[in-house]
Amino acid sequence: MCGITGYLGFREAYPIVINGLQRLEYRGYDSAGIVITSNDKSKLFKTKGKVSDLKKIAKKNNLEGNLALGHTRWATHGVPNNENSHPHLSNSGNLVIVHNGIIENYDTIKKELIKRGYTFHSDTDTEVLINLIEEVQIKNNCKLGKAVQLALTNVVGAYAIAVYDINKSDEIIVARLGSPLAIGIGKNNTEFFVASDASPFIEYTKDAIYLDDEELAIVKLGKKIRVRKIHDDSIVEPNIQELKLNLEQIEKGGYDHFMLKEIYEQPSAIFDTFRGRLLADKGIIKMGSVDNNITKFLNAKRIIIVACGTSWHAGLVGEYLLEDLSRIPVEVEYASEFRYRNPIINKDDIVIAISQSGETADTLAAIKLAKSKGAFVFGICNVVGSSIARETNSGAYTHAGPEIGVASTKAFTTQITVLALIALKLGKLKGEISTSDFHKYLQEMKLIPSKVEELLKVNHEVEKIALTYKDAPNCLYLGRGYNFPVALEGALKLKEISYIHAEGYPAAEMKHGPIALIDESMPVIVIATKKGHYEKVVSNIQEIKSRNGKIIAIVTEGDTIVKKIADHVIEIPETEEAFAPLLTTIPLQLLSYYIAVMRGCNVDQPRNLAKSVTVE
Ligand code: AGP
């Protein structure tokens, strides 16, 4: 997720665009850039780092002009460095672009453009796009708006783009598919603002157009905005609306907290994580970093997963996935323990390091130790170019976008998504999964984003339960099999943002001690999905009931048995048990969120916690 913004009008563009970038930094902050044009003279500055670093460079150069585009990057293709930062110029130097999204077929387009003599200075998909637009404009001898429209009909992926010709400084072309794009309209069309959301221009105008998917707009000084459909260039009547949100609400996408916004981003985050990797209709899982090391993976005698916190819980789910589906022995280690216990690592071991931030000190140290002992280390990170991403021998990124809330939510479900893809791919290649089962899993995985979307509608039900238990002094979370790590994760969520003591246990472990805790003041969250050792968990629920425990059960929709015993039931859509954690964790995230809000806790920045623990 990146932030784009631009200005065209009578004011000085620089202060508007640079302040706009600062407001968009929540969308990505590993590099930033700006291009500004005045009387057809242009200046372009871009740098790895934050917008504040860009400001330092810009201050030394007198950036004047009434037309500018800015970009703050969340890297998806190409590590964060100056060359990969936006804006990007076309080969002629005439066209300039800023882009938020992922062009899936950029490699094919790039190869074709290279054949036609184009050269590239970066590893990004965006630079390919601006040169495709230039090639189309030259070949068709057409206006920029038309060239953008024609070029986008050849593009597969997601984009919100802003493009202009530095020789025609009275026009910006914008377009979107899958990534948001807002256009602020000044009085009498004397100025225009374009941005990923309205935060850069909210104080200048309340009149805005939010482009719909597959729409392109030609923004020209003094003229009404023209909106067209990309696929057939047909005219669309723009829907100009009056903005009601304030700045803070806009940054949070209208949600009260980043954590809630990120919980609701999970359908798209999971989709973006398997986009281009899960080719369900072709029966293929495409993962270059696994394919390029496939001998290592297939010959691995053991996989050791190292991580911390929520990522460690994702690793536990990974253990179930990899052992169940690809029959490779797995051990999951707290990175902080692994790094100091002089572990035995054999040459055909594979170490998988999981980290949202890619900067966790213990995990980084564990990786270095594993590499020093000859292991091949594979990373699963959410931040492109992070220390862990660079330290590992290879890896696969989650594409969750920036996770701002300290409590990890979408990182957890996207980490599990990557682990599931790896387990399925290896299981199929090792002949541990039949072709029919493989196809069944792939088709089910494709449905997960919509099932999560559907499940998020339980939020008001969960909010009511939260009201009942917000003052509980303790809480117990129980799960079996794939859902045992989800019980641990649910407990972590609650304790880290509401400060209520909570523990997660394998459900069967309850009788070995924790059952002594059960009484009427102890809420017990039990995950009882239909295919997950259901009968055993039902008897655990009955044991709790007989001791007056309060039961909040997460069940598969249509459940009739648990409904008769539990105090509260939250139904989730049916899915393969291997994918259950992607769904069962959702109500637990919401429960901890609402309880924390009701307790007046700082949900996005809980006390004593940091988003990334870069020290021991
Ligand atoms: C989880 O909600 C916490 N924020 C924390 O446990 C976190 O998962 C842990 O610090 C690991 O962070 P990482 O994924 O960035 O390595």
Side-chain angles (χ1 to χ4, degrees):
M1 182 158 74
C2 306
I4 69 173
T5 188
Y7 175 76
L8 170 62
F10 55 88
R11 303 174 208 261
E12 276 305 315
Y14 173 72
I16 295 170
V17 169
I18 205 76
N19 291 335
L21 285 180
Q22 279 180 311
R23 290 177 182 169
L24 292 172
E25 268 197 313
Y26 74 89
R27 303 178 62 84
Y29 37 77
D30 58 38
S31 59
I34 188 168
V35 60
I36 189 161
T37 297
S38 160
N39 307 323
D40 304 346
K41 277 198 183 45
S42 296
K43 290 180 181 172
L44 188 154
F45 295 96
K46 55 186 185 177
T47 179
K48 179 180 175 188
K50 294 191 179 303
V51 175
S52 53
D53 299 311
L54 177 65
K55 276 177 98 168
K56 286 182 196 135
I57 299 170
K59 222 168 15 194
K60 294 181 202 133
N61 300 275
N62 180 21
L63 295 191
E64 286 175 350
N66 307 105
L67 168 58
L69 294 179
H71 186 272
T72 181
R73 186 169 182 239
W74 181 261
T76 54
H77 290 79
V79 295
N81 60 23
N82 294 355
E83 296 71 30
N84 288 336
S85 309
H86 302 210
H88 285 285
L89 288 170
S90 61
N91 271 203
S92 69
N94 294 327
L95 304 185
V96 63
I97 189 172
V98 288
H99 167 220
N100 169 30
I102 298 176
I103 306 298
E104 286 178 38
N105 61 335
Y106 83 99
D107 203 34
T108 313
I109 297 170
K110 185 170 184 174
K111 288 190 177 97
E112 185 52 35
L113 289 171
I114 289 170
K115 271 192 219 147
R116 298 184 187 194
Y118 284 82
T119 56
F120 294 89
H121 311 285
S122 78
D123 307 325
T124 65
D125 52 348
T126 307
E127 191 184 10
V128 172
L129 180 54
I130 193 63
N131 281 299
L132 174 65
I133 292 167
E134 177 149 280
E135 172 68 2
V136 167
Q137 188 175 31
I138 295 167
K139 280 277 169 298
N140 295 277
N141 187 22
C142 58
K143 288 187 176 171
L144 183 57
K146 185 66 183 165
V148 173
Q149 181 257 327
L150 290 173
L152 291 176
T153 55
N154 296 296
V155 159
V156 177
Y159 49 79
I161 57 171
V163 179
Y164 72 76
D165 180 336
I166 62 171
N167 306 306
K168 265 178 70 38
S169 54
D170 64 348
E171 181 184 78
I172 303 177
I173 311 297
V174 294
R176 71 151 286 180
L177 174 62
S179 301
L181 196 124
I183 305 170
I185 303 165
K187 269 196 187 44
N188 308 323
N189 300 317
T190 54
E191 61 179 352
F192 295 99
F193 307 79
V194 297
S196 300
D197 66 37
S199 57
F201 59 79
I202 187 76
E203 69 262 44
Y204 296 100
T205 177
K206 294 267 189 276
D207 294 336
I209 294 171
Y210 282 86
L211 282 187
D212 284 332
D213 267 352
E214 263 245 293
E215 286 185 350
L216 172 148
I218 297 165
V219 178
K220 204 172 176 65
L221 267 187
K223 292 234 188 312
K224 267 184 68 179
I225 287 182
R226 284 169 287 151
V227 180
R228 296 178 176 284
K229 274 287 173 206
I230 290 167
H231 70 273
D232 62 5
D233 207 13
S234 57
I235 293 173
V236 175
E237 192 48 42
N239 167 24
I240 300 175
Q241 50 188 291
E242 192 187 349
L243 295 172
K244 300 270 191 291
L245 295 173
N246 63 38
L247 179 58
E248 198 202 346
Q249 287 168 323
I250 289 168
E251 285 172 343
K252 290 173 186 153
Y255 292 97
D256 291 340
H257 298 94
F258 279 112
M259 181 182 175
L260 189 61
K261 174 171 172 271
E262 288 153 11
I263 289 172
Y264 275 80
E265 281 175 343
Q266 290 180 108
S268 57
I270 292 168
F271 178 82
D272 286 344
T273 295
F274 67 53
R275 177 205 297 268
R277 292 168 167 161
L278 172 71
L279 310 177
D281 298 340
K282 291 182 184 157
I284 297 170
I285 291 178
K286 205 171 111 189
M287 296 183 81
S289 52
V290 175
D291 291 327
N292 296 340
N293 299 287
I294 200 61
T295 315
K296 283 191 177 62
F297 276 102
L298 294 179
N299 296 338
K301 294 282 181 299
R302 180 178 57 155
I303 291 177
I304 303 168
I305 297 176
V306 294
C308 302
T310 289
S311 297
W312 184 77
H313 295 149
L316 286 177
V317 176
E319 177 177 21
Y320 283 86
L321 285 163
L322 286 159
E323 292 204 350
D324 185 13
L325 300 175
S326 60
R327 309 306 297 156
I328 300 174
V330 177
E331 285 171 26
V332 184
E333 299 263 2
Y334 279 116
S336 55
E337 285 299 305
F338 183 79
R339 66 182 288 195
Y340 288 117
R341 65 177 188 73
N342 190 18
I344 296 164
I345 298 176
N346 305 314
K347 64 177 176 33
D348 47 14
D349 282 343
I350 283 186
V351 172
I352 295 180
I354 305 174
S355 175
Q356 187 285 130
S357 63
E359 301 299 341
T360 300
D362 284 322
T363 310
L364 195 52
I367 293 163
K368 288 178 179 165
L369 173 71
K371 283 175 72 177
S372 70
K373 290 175 176 269
F376 169 76
V377 187
F378 187 89
I380 298 176
C381 289
N382 192 42
V383 181
V384 174
S386 57
S387 304
I388 287 175
R390 280 180 283 114
E391 188 61 37
T392 47
N393 300 104
S394 183
Y397 286 116
T398 51
H399 290 299
E403 189 176 67
I404 309 295
V406 165
S408 200
T409 50
K410 60 180 184 173
F412 179 65
T413 45
T414 53
Q415 288 163 350
I416 292 169
T417 302
V418 170
L419 289 160
L421 291 172
I422 294 172
L424 286 165
K425 183 178 180 69
L426 297 179
K428 182 72 175 59
L429 286 172
K430 289 166 65 93
E432 299 292 348
I433 308 175
S434 68
T435 304
S436 59
D437 281 350
F438 187 67
H439 284 274
K440 176 192 68 174
Y441 279 120
L442 266 53
Q443 290 300 335
E444 179 59 21
M445 172 66 85
K446 211 169 104 177
L447 298 174
I448 292 293
S450 55
K451 290 188 174 183
V452 172
E453 195 77 56
E454 184 56 30
L455 177 52
L456 284 163
K457 292 174 186 159
V458 300
N459 61 322
H460 295 309
E461 237 177 289
V462 175
E463 196 170 7
K464 271 197 246 131
I465 296 171
L467 195 55
T468 308
Y469 297 102
K470 65 181 177 58
D471 299 319
N474 299 288
C475 213
L476 207 49
Y477 288 72
L478 303 177
R480 277 182 187 253
Y482 279 98
N483 288 312
F484 158 50
V486 179
L488 297 179
E489 172 59 12
L492 174 63
K493 287 280 103 36
L494 185 69
K495 62 187 142 190
E496 70 173 322
I497 64 173
S498 74
Y499 318 140
I500 291 174
H501 175 248
E503 287 188 74
Y505 269 95
E509 266 304 291
M510 201 185 52
K511 55 186 172 298
H512 299 286
I515 198 163
L517 293 170
I518 304 295
D519 59 24
E520 58 289 339
S521 69
M522 170 68 86
V524 185
I525 288 92
V526 189
I527 305 168
T529 45
K530 198 159 87 174
K531 298 176 188 164
H533 314 288
Y534 181 72
E535 293 71 24
K536 304 270 183 225
V537 178
V538 170
S539 60
N540 296 143
I541 291 173
Q542 279 154 342
E543 289 157 21
I544 297 163
K545 198 69 199 160
S546 62
R547 289 158 178 83
N548 302 320
K550 296 291 178 222
I551 295 147
I552 301 160
I554 313 294
V555 301
T556 304
E557 60 196 13
D559 184 296
T560 52
I561 298 172
V562 174
K563 254 187 187 145
K564 294 186 188 111
I565 326 168
D567 299 274
H568 312 272
V569 167
I570 298 165
E571 296 192 25
I572 69 165
E574 182 159 355
T575 186
E576 291 298 330
E577 195 54 16
F579 301 156
L582 293 168
L583 298 178
T584 53
T585 196
I586 302 297
L588 307 190
Q589 292 170 345
L590 289 168
L591 182 66
S592 59
Y593 170 78
Y594 285 119
I595 288 178
V597 168
M598 291 169 186
R599 291 168 65 90
C601 297
N602 182 340
V603 172
D604 284 333
Q605 276 130 16
R607 68 185 183 195
N608 312 336
L609 286 175
K611 183 58 189 167
S612 174
V613 185
T614 56
V615 293
E616 281 203 53

